[in-house]
Amino acid sequence: MAYHPIRELPIRALAAEVLLAVESGESLSQALPRAQQDIDPDLRPQLQALCYGVCRWFHRLDGELGQRLRKPLRKQDRNVHLLMLVALFQLRYSHNPSYAILNETVEACRALGKSPLTGLVNGVLRAAEREGEPDSDIPVVRFSHPQWMIAKLQHNWPDQWQAILEANNTQAPMTLRVNGRHGSRDQYLQRLADSGLEARATAFAPWGIQLANPVAVDRLPGFAEGDVSVQDEAAQLCTRWLQPQAGQRILDACAAPGGKTCAILEACDNQAEVIAIDQSADRLPRIQENLDRLQLSATLKEADAGDTSSWWDGEPFDRILLDVPCSATGVIRRHPDIKLLRRETDITPLAGIQLGLLEQLWATLKPGGRLLYATCSVFPQENSRIIQRFLDKEPQAQLLSEDAPWGSDTGYGRQLLPAPDSHDGFFYACLIKGSDTPDQDNRP
Ligand SMILES: C[S@@+](CC[C@H](N)C(=O)[O-])C[C@H]1O[C@@H](n2cnc3c(N)ncnc32)[C@H](O)[C@@H]1O
């Protein structure tokens, strides 16, 4: 269903319309900016907080609303159902006075053209306010995740599934990567302190800084000049595995928006020949924007990386980063709409694409070179099992299995799980192509 922003809608009604777009398969990062461009800039953070909050707590709020409605609303009144979730979210998770939430939600219902439902909305929300949130031991409601995800995590992570679900419901920290070409991490920490921004160095990534509270990027000293970028700590670790060196020919196969492309170039002082590919024409310009801001250079190509005949000149690469498209289940706390968008049936086709990309790109790696396979997924089906299946078929491939202080060794790569107040969920497997002259330093 196409979503058309309606300028004059109150903020809660607009949130309900954005959520309707998400239910029809659009991501928040697609639907929200479109709605935001039509409203007063001062209201944008509020709209964003409502949409993200409802997605994060969708299954819990929906469980409560389901109990409170005697029968489900008609399909064409779905926006009113979502509007009530917005109001329930505010009742349960905000400090807004409840009379204001109720009044404004009834107003919003009218603005959506659903005046006949205002009595129902008012009655349901009044009861919700009076009675408080009901207890539930249904896992979907308790953990606020879809049933299939809970079951898959229980199966994959018998000891950690609950911690993963709980971490997914927390607010992710804002983490920075200091551009070492412009100054040291300690110097940047001092600049943050001088600007009144509380922060600390990350535990594992050498250029990482975690802010105590998120801020708009234009409040970060030297952001426009390229002194720093926003990037999660787990994502920053890519250079620890890849060990890019000046003078090398490096492929970033699934590169947009270019966070890791830029980390790689910073790590080798912009002295490598980097080719960054993405098949999305819409996302490719984001890589160039990041390169420009950081004064870095790479060759960008719009292509299906797996279709090597369409873009490869036959010159092999010393390093390949393969940050494949995945379920993104390691970054749910940053993208809570994944709970609504992802389907269980997505995972097997994704795994097919991931293994296919790995097999195709392996041919473009130099003997002795290294390929880093990465996902932001927590499902072994997209991670260790891909590497296992690949190693079974490819005798020349060796898995680098050095110890590292982060994540855990799956036997086929290292898995980081999302950690509250720390890094995202991520997976890395570093493969070396057998040769007589392997790289000397294999440590991550
Ligand atoms: C996980 S994101 C990459 C994030 C990026 N590496 C970063 O750190 O900023 C995956 C990207 O792969 C791209 N993609 C998906 N399939 C692809 C393919 N067959 N060839 C090239 N790019 C592809 C998507 O458009 C998406 O931008």
Side-chain angles (χ1 to χ4, degrees):
M1 190 191 311
Y3 160 65
H4 302 288
I6 307 167
R7 267 159 246 229
E8 60 279 10
L9 279 185
I11 202 85
R12 288 173 184 76
L14 207 47
E17 293 289 337
V18 171
L19 293 164
L20 197 61
V22 172
E23 284 201 324
S24 72
E26 268 197 284
S27 68
L28 274 179
S29 57
Q30 291 169 319
L32 190 59
R34 233 188 8 251
Q36 283 185 320
Q37 73 192 10
D38 287 324
I39 59 171
D40 181 342
D42 289 346
L43 293 175
R44 288 177 190 163
Q46 197 192 337
L47 179 62
Q48 173 164 337
L50 290 178
C51 294
Y52 273 75
V54 173
C55 286
R56 177 166 292 126
W57 296 110
F58 183 90
H59 297 83
R60 180 176 286 188
L61 300 167
D62 203 47
E64 177 178 349
L65 186 56
Q67 280 184 36
R68 294 193 178 282
L69 288 172
R70 236 170 284 134
K71 59 180 174 89
L73 298 188
R74 296 174 309 168
K75 208 168 165 226
Q76 61 265 41
D77 296 326
R78 186 68 189 168
N79 54 356
V80 176
H81 183 98
L82 295 167
L83 177 66
M84 284 193 274
L85 294 187
V86 173
L88 272 184
F89 166 68
Q90 289 200 297
L91 281 178
R92 303 293 174 238
Y93 298 98
S94 81
H95 299 297
N96 295 25
S98 45
Y99 67 86
I101 298 172
L102 263 66
N103 288 345
E104 286 161 28
T105 304
V106 167
E107 266 320 298
C109 182
R110 230 173 250 129
L112 285 170
K114 299 289 166 73
S115 297
L117 293 176
T118 50
L120 172 83
V121 168
N122 194 37
V124 166
L125 295 180
R126 269 191 197 293
E129 182 208 0
R130 200 174 49 240
E131 295 160 13
E133 189 172 16
D135 282 338
S136 176
D137 44 20
I138 302 169
V140 171
V141 177
R142 190 167 150 227
F143 295 111
S144 203
H145 277 68
Q147 176 54 38
W148 73 267
M149 246 184 224
I150 298 175
K152 202 170 175 74
L153 288 171
Q154 274 175 326
H155 177 72
N156 289 157
W157 298 100
D159 297 328
Q160 290 103 328
W161 64 274
Q162 205 160 325
I164 297 171
L165 294 170
E166 281 164 5
N168 288 348
N169 289 338
T170 62
Q171 206 99 35
M174 183 169 178
T175 305
L176 311 177
R177 185 189 73 240
V178 174
N179 181 356
R181 302 174 74 217
H182 289 198
S184 72
R185 172 160 75 173
D186 283 346
Q187 284 167 341
Y188 198 79
L189 277 165
Q190 188 55 53
R191 289 172 73 187
L192 287 171
D194 294 344
S195 310
L197 297 174
E198 196 186 326
R200 62 174 163 83
T202 52
F204 309 125
W207 296 105
I209 289 181
Q210 192 173 306
L211 297 179
N213 298 297
V215 294
V217 287
D218 54 18
R219 283 201 53 207
L220 297 171
F223 180 80
E225 292 73 37
D227 296 349
V228 75
S229 301
V230 177
Q231 188 176 44
D232 181 72
E233 183 180 14
Q236 291 185 38
L237 293 172
C238 68
T239 51
R240 306 285 283 162
W241 292 100
L242 205 58
Q243 299 268 315
Q245 316 279 335
Q248 287 183 329
R249 186 170 151 83
I250 302 177
L251 172 69
D252 186 353
C254 295
K260 298 187 192 71
T261 317
C262 294
I264 290 168
L265 280 160
E266 281 173 12
C268 51
D269 200 18
N270 201 29
Q271 298 296 312
E273 180 195 353
V274 171
I275 296 171
I277 294 182
D278 205 280
Q279 74 173 7
S280 160
D282 291 347
R283 287 166 63 85
L284 215 55
R286 306 260 315 274
I287 309 179
Q288 193 60 54
E289 282 164 27
N290 281 319
L291 289 167
D292 290 347
R293 186 179 58 82
L294 294 161
Q295 296 125 49
L296 301 168
S297 42
T299 303
L300 307 191
K301 287 182 198 273
E302 181 194 331
D304 170 359
D307 181 12
T308 50
S309 63
S310 72
W311 60 267
W312 188 40
D313 61 6
E315 186 79 27
F317 295 98
D318 300 285
R319 298 284 185 269
I320 297 176
L321 171 63
L322 179 53
D323 190 12
V324 287
C326 72
S327 63
T329 40
V331 292
I332 285 179
R333 54 190 193 156
R334 294 190 194 278
H335 303 283
D337 49 339
I338 288 166
K339 292 178 179 181
L340 280 78
L341 294 170
R342 206 63 72 229
R343 302 274 172 264
E344 186 172 15
T345 48
D346 294 343
I347 309 302
T348 300
L350 271 173
I353 291 169
Q354 292 156 352
L355 183 59
L357 281 167
L358 179 53
E359 287 171 348
Q360 294 304 318
L361 289 167
W362 187 250
T364 72
L365 184 66
K366 232 181 227 177
R370 58 173 70 182
L371 181 151
L372 183 63
Y373 176 90
T375 76
C376 54
S377 165
V378 293
F379 293 146
Q381 204 181 338
E382 300 177 85
N383 297 339
S384 51
R385 277 187 226 138
I386 298 290
I387 301 304
Q388 186 175 15
R389 287 162 72 188
F390 181 71
L391 289 174
D392 283 349
K393 284 200 239 173
E394 189 47 75
Q396 265 198 322
Q398 296 156 17
L399 178 70
L400 182 65
S401 60
E402 292 283 325
D403 229 7
W406 56 80
S408 60
D409 187 0
T410 65
Y412 292 96
R414 258 192 127 69
Q415 180 75 57
L416 293 99
L417 296 174
D421 201 34
S422 181
H423 57 71
D424 286 341
F426 234 84
F427 175 81
Y428 286 116
C430 191
L431 300 166
I432 308 223
K433 199 170 202 170
S435 86
D436 297 338
T437 52
D439 283 3
Q440 289 122 356
D441 185 2
N442 282 346
R443 275 165 303 152

